[in-house]
Structure formats: C-alpha cells, structure tokens
Amino acid sequence: MRVLIVEDDDAMASALLAAVLSAGHKPHRVARGADALLVHRDYDVILMDLGLPDIDGLELLRKLRQVSDSPILILTARDDERSVVLGLRLGADDYLVKPVKLVELLARIEAVTRRVARAAGNRPHSLVIGELDVDLDRRVAVVGSRELQLTATEFDLLALLARNAGSVVTREQILDALWGDAFLASSRSLDVHLTGLRSKLGLPGFIINVRGVGYRIEAEPA
C-alpha cells in the first residue's frame, strides 16, 4: 500500500513513517494540507492530522472527499464528540486519537488493505432489496431513481447488511469486517456511519436494530 501521511509534527511524522515502513507499506510524508491536495492521487490510503499549519484538517478532509475515494484515517488530538462525528460524516473511514498506538494504527491500515483487496477481487454483481439496488462492482447504491452519495465506509456497511439480508449481523461482525478487529475498532465510528447511512437511505425501518445484538435488513434479496 502507498500511504500518504499528512502530519506537521516532525517527531510524530518520523514515528509514523517508521511504523508504516516496518509493515511493508510505502509511506510518504507531507506537512501541509496544500501539499496533500497536490499528491493525493498517487496514494492508496491517507493518514491525516487535523491540526495542520495552513488549513484546518476538517476542511482538508472535505476537499479530499470531493476528488478522492481513497480510504482516509484521521489522526487527531481532538477527542471531543463534535470533531470525531464531523470528521466521520465528512467522509473519513476511521479515526485515531493521539498519542497513536502504532500497533492499532497498523491494524487499521491492514483492515483497509483487506477491504481494498476484496473490492478489487469481486466479480460484477448486484443486490436488489425492495427499492434498493446495490451494485457491488461499481460500488453504487440506488433507491428508486435516486443515487445515494455514500462514503466508502457507509457503502461497505450497506453492502455487508445487504449480503446478509434477513439475518442479524452482530456489531462485532460489522466492526471486524469493516475495521479488521472488533476489539480495536470504535463502536462510536459504527454508530456515526450507521446514522449517516440511514439518513441517506431515507427508508424508515429498513435497517432494524436488534437490541443488544446487532442489525438486520428485514427484506430478503431479490
């Protein structure tokens, strides 16, 4: 994986570069948001700090999401609810609060690696459930004639639930499938992405909360 690290702190950047390199990936570091916007197309995954010298990280995230579908992991000292939720809603796939545990960081990168590999290996196919049509090859979801503007993680969540329509998918299964490790992944990330997905679907009662267990799409696939 080619990994772009957007981090202005030299000590933190050095640690991240060493960790990513030790895992067999190819890292490159930039210190400014403007530089990230210039080179992001050359990388498979982006690790970005929110506290940058030239642009607020959330604004950079918004700009990147307008031009890139690459997985983005936020590295931040901001652990307040608003920053985390806003970052996820703007399209980040996950977030890590500084000081970053390097083992956890590598686990998240590996999860992204597996997700990208699975997507590349999928044969063209789709799922139709009521008004919803999910094209798993093109990664496009449509309700009626309305194409949904989903983040990468929202689409992966929808696809997972749709593949298992009629059955309960536990929170642990979702966390493990989307983030690679149910024990490392944040339940708050899942809650935010699920809320965003439900809002964009606009289908009340389509994704059912099975209290204390997980979630289920009620309808059977066509």
Side-chain angles (χ1 to χ4, degrees):
M1 295 279 281
R2 298 165 299 172
V3 181
L4 177 63
I5 298 171
V6 189
E7 171 61 68
D8 66 320
D9 183 271
D10 291 338
M12 175 62 72
S14 295
L16 293 173
L17 284 166
V20 171
L21 188 61
S22 71
H25 304 301
K26 298 178 180 179
H28 175 71
R29 179 254 182 140
V30 296
R32 292 160 38 88
D35 296 328
L37 289 170
L38 290 174
V39 302
H40 70 88
R41 291 179 180 83
D42 297 328
Y43 298 91
D44 303 304
V45 60
I46 300 170
L47 309 179
M48 56 169 286
D49 185 19
L50 290 183
L52 298 171
D54 62 328
I55 183 173
D56 182 76
L58 292 175
E59 177 63 15
L60 173 61
L61 175 60
R62 186 186 66 80
K63 290 179 178 293
L64 284 170
R65 270 293 165 250
Q66 292 176 343
V67 294
S68 173
D69 293 324
S70 296
I72 298 176
L73 285 76
I74 291 176
L75 306 174
T76 180
R78 308 178 194 177
D79 60 353
D80 62 285
E81 186 80 17
R82 181 181 178 278
S83 291
V84 170
V85 170
L86 186 55
L88 293 171
R89 286 180 175 171
L90 285 172
D93 294 272
D94 205 353
Y95 72 95
L96 292 156
V97 177
K98 293 179 179 179
V100 178
K101 296 178 181 178
L102 296 182
V103 172
E104 182 177 358
L105 170 64
L106 294 177
R108 302 291 179 92
I109 293 176
E110 291 303 322
V112 170
T113 304
R114 289 195 295 271
R115 187 190 306 175
V116 171
R118 286 197 302 268
N122 281 344
R123 290 175 295 176
H125 60 294
S126 64
L127 297 168
V128 178
I129 306 171
E131 299 178 64
L132 175 68
D133 188 339
V134 183
D135 188 323
L136 297 171
D137 182 60
R138 295 174 53 232
R139 295 179 63 82
V140 171
V142 176
V143 173
S145 59
R146 176 171 56 91
E147 182 175 329
L148 306 182
Q149 301 302 309
L150 302 179
T151 67
T153 302
E154 287 170 350
F155 182 88
D156 289 336
L157 175 56
L158 177 61
L160 177 62
L161 293 173
R163 287 191 184 99
N164 294 278
S167 301
V168 176
V169 183
T170 69
R171 288 182 67 89
E172 289 75 18
Q173 288 173 325
I174 295 172
L175 292 170
D176 188 67
L178 270 61
W179 285 279
D181 192 319
F183 297 99
L184 288 176
S186 168
S187 289
R188 184 162 55 173
S189 292
L190 172 56
D191 293 336
V192 173
H193 288 300
L194 184 65
T195 298
L197 175 59
R198 280 173 161 159
S199 176
K200 292 175 183 179
L201 281 170
L203 300 172
F206 187 74
I207 298 177
I208 297 171
N209 180 13
V210 182
R211 186 177 298 276
V213 182
Y215 304 93
R216 180 181 70 242
I217 289 180
E218 189 65 54
E220 293 289 346

